[in-house]
Amino acid sequence: MIVRQFISWIRTAPAGERAEATRSLARAWLISDLTEDDRAAAEGALLMLLDDPSPLVRQAMSQVFSRSAEAPAAIVQALALDQPSIALPVLEHSPLLIDADLVDIVATGNSETQCAVARRVNLPPSVSAAIAEVGSAAAALELIENAYAELAPFSWDRIVDRHGHLAAIRESMLVLEGLPSATRLALVAKLSDTLAQFVVAKNWLSPDRAGRLASEARERSTVNIAARSRGEDMEGLVQHLRATGQLTAGLILRALLSGNLELFDSSLAELSGLPHARVTALLHDRGGASLQALLIRAGLPESTFAAFRIALEVCHETGFVDTPGGAARLRRRMVERVLTHCETDRKAAEPLLILLRRFATESAREEARQFCDELVAEDAIGHDDLIAA
């Protein structure tokens, strides 16, 4: 009887009063012990109110039903497709929306509705993939910052492809601990390209010079990222490098000259098609013939074979780097020994010598920076001890 009186009254009531009455009726649906007849009448009234000309009425329903698993499913579905001010609470919170609903809403909605979906708790990979594929940059940012969203590796890569040129996207992704190394490297490449285009547009550098500096920065970043990668993450990184044409002899030589045998072994395993364990065994064979056969199978230039051999010999003599920072920096002694040998080797090609001279300069500067940092640290400790005394 009360619901019938409500339906009769609401036809002439002001919008604000209709909204408050609708809010009360929606709450009664959820928490009151209604008879079967009253429940059916209440649902009919609420369905009728979906056609109310005032958005205040539908907003009231949305706010009450948005988090409830007991809300009328048909009403929640209708609210989810309403204008953003009404749909957003339902899109962000309602447990009644299934994955297929959310994927469709992402595909057909605007940025505001996509952002609401991206903020949902326990967002499944299928919905995350839809946002990565067609969502706006704002929705992608919400997705990245949602600690409860599940993203497949290809979704991370798609976000980089579509929005990696935006600083906010890069910054939010790069601080994530579990970001795949291949994705991290793709972000660095986006940043390098953006900076190169900027300095060329400003006429600060020529296109060739800017491109070379960007390439060198990417190589250093690759080894730095690889120094923190292991297992499947390393495999994914190396596969990405090969797919993007970055798995070059120069990069592989840089990895070895940095003492990063994990990247060196994984690269040769990827290029040769041999199991990782087999490659590692061949590299520890001191005879030399195994290394040459492996390099040939990997398709590396013959002019680089001597450089790889000498660098590997120095690695065996001096031991291997076991810290991420150490495995990312070129080792000066190793670089200079390889350069000295290649400068007297008639088979060494000029591009290799240019590369090694660049490595030698870089390693000398890195060593100098490290030395100065250590001096400053020692002075700071001595100063603190003097104050304490």
Side-chain angles (χ1 to χ4, degrees):
M1 179 66 71
I2 295 176
V3 175
R4 292 188 179 91
Q5 292 173 351
F6 172 83
I7 294 173
S8 176
W9 168 81
I10 208 167
R11 296 179 186 276
T12 57
E17 294 181 13
R18 295 201 309 273
E20 286 306 311
T22 300
R23 190 187 310 276
S24 297
L25 182 60
R27 286 173 177 164
W29 167 275
L30 293 179
I31 64 176
S32 297
D33 187 17
L34 299 175
T35 66
E36 187 174 340
D37 288 344
D38 283 343
R39 181 167 289 274
E43 183 175 7
L46 291 168
L47 286 167
M48 178 196 71
L49 289 168
L50 289 172
D51 297 322
D52 194 285
S54 173
L56 295 175
V57 173
R58 304 194 301 283
Q59 283 175 3
M61 273 194 285
S62 177
Q63 290 165 0
V64 174
F65 287 146
S66 62
R67 298 175 184 269
S68 175
E70 305 301 324
I75 292 176
V76 170
Q77 288 282 347
L79 293 172
L81 299 175
D82 212 315
Q83 65 192 58
S85 62
I86 296 165
L88 295 186
V90 171
L91 294 177
E92 186 171 347
H93 301 294
S94 178
L96 297 179
L97 297 177
I98 63 174
D99 295 357
D101 295 331
L102 297 171
V103 168
D104 183 64
I105 288 167
V106 168
T108 59
N110 60 18
S111 178
E112 203 171 2
T113 58
Q114 291 171 346
C115 287
V117 174
R119 290 191 293 267
R120 288 175 67 91
V121 174
N122 299 326
L123 199 64
S126 58
V127 183
S128 297
I131 296 171
E133 185 63 36
V134 300
S136 66
L141 188 58
E142 293 280 6
L143 183 64
I144 294 166
E145 295 178 347
N146 184 350
Y148 303 100
E150 297 181 51
L151 279 82
F154 68 85
S155 294
W156 288 116
D157 294 340
R158 192 66 182 125
I159 291 174
V160 175
D161 289 341
R162 298 183 62 236
H163 305 299
H165 61 288
L166 301 174
I169 295 290
R170 291 195 305 269
E171 290 168 4
S172 294
M173 292 182 72
L174 287 172
V175 298
L176 298 175
E177 290 292 335
L179 190 69
S181 291
T183 303
R184 194 176 297 276
L185 181 59
L187 280 171
V188 171
K190 285 280 187 178
L191 176 59
S192 298
D193 292 340
T194 300
L195 291 176
Q197 293 169 12
F198 176 76
V199 298
V200 169
K202 292 290 186 179
N203 290 320
W204 293 344
L205 292 175
S206 68
D208 289 344
R209 174 67 173 160
R212 197 185 83 177
L213 289 176
S215 178
E216 292 174 2
R218 280 195 297 270
E219 280 192 7
R220 288 194 294 271
S221 297
T222 298
V223 178
N224 190 36
I225 292 170
R228 293 164 172 79
S229 305
R230 296 291 184 273
E232 292 183 2
D233 192 35
M234 175 65 82
E235 291 178 10
L237 174 61
V238 172
Q239 289 168 3
H240 170 80
L241 290 170
R242 187 178 189 182
T244 55
Q246 299 178 71
L247 196 59
T248 62
L251 176 62
I252 298 171
L253 184 57
R254 175 187 280 273
L256 181 56
L257 292 174
S258 302
N260 191 337
L261 285 198
E262 183 73 18
L263 177 57
F264 180 62
D265 291 8
S266 297
S267 298
L268 292 181
E270 173 69 21
L271 292 175
S272 66
L274 295 174
H276 193 283
R278 177 62 176 157
V279 169
T280 301
L282 290 173
L283 292 176
H284 282 81
D285 181 1
R286 303 296 183 91
S290 297
L291 173 63
Q292 181 167 324
L294 179 59
L295 296 176
I296 292 172
R297 178 160 181 152
L300 298 181
E302 185 178 354
S303 59
T304 64
F305 289 3
F308 281 114
R309 178 174 56 79
I310 299 299
L312 202 57
E313 287 177 2
V314 179
C315 266
H316 287 304
E317 292 173 6
T318 60
F320 306 109
V321 177
D322 59 358
T323 62
R329 292 190 297 268
L330 288 165
R331 299 165 71 182
R332 186 176 182 182
R333 177 186 171 190
M334 188 184 300
V335 173
E336 290 180 346
R337 184 159 162 185
V338 173
L339 176 59
T340 299
H341 176 86
C342 290
E343 284 178 334
T344 59
D345 184 359
R346 294 181 179 179
K347 294 182 180 180
E350 188 61 29
L352 174 62
L353 293 175
I354 293 173
L355 180 67
L356 289 172
R357 292 187 188 109
R358 176 162 60 83
F359 284 170
T361 301
E362 184 181 329
S363 63
R365 294 177 67 176
E366 287 177 346
E367 189 175 277
R369 281 194 293 267
Q370 185 177 6
F371 175 74
C372 292
D373 289 343
E374 290 172 353
L375 285 181
V376 171
E378 289 175 1
D379 287 345
I381 293 173
H383 180 69
D384 291 343
D385 291 344
L386 183 61
I387 293 176

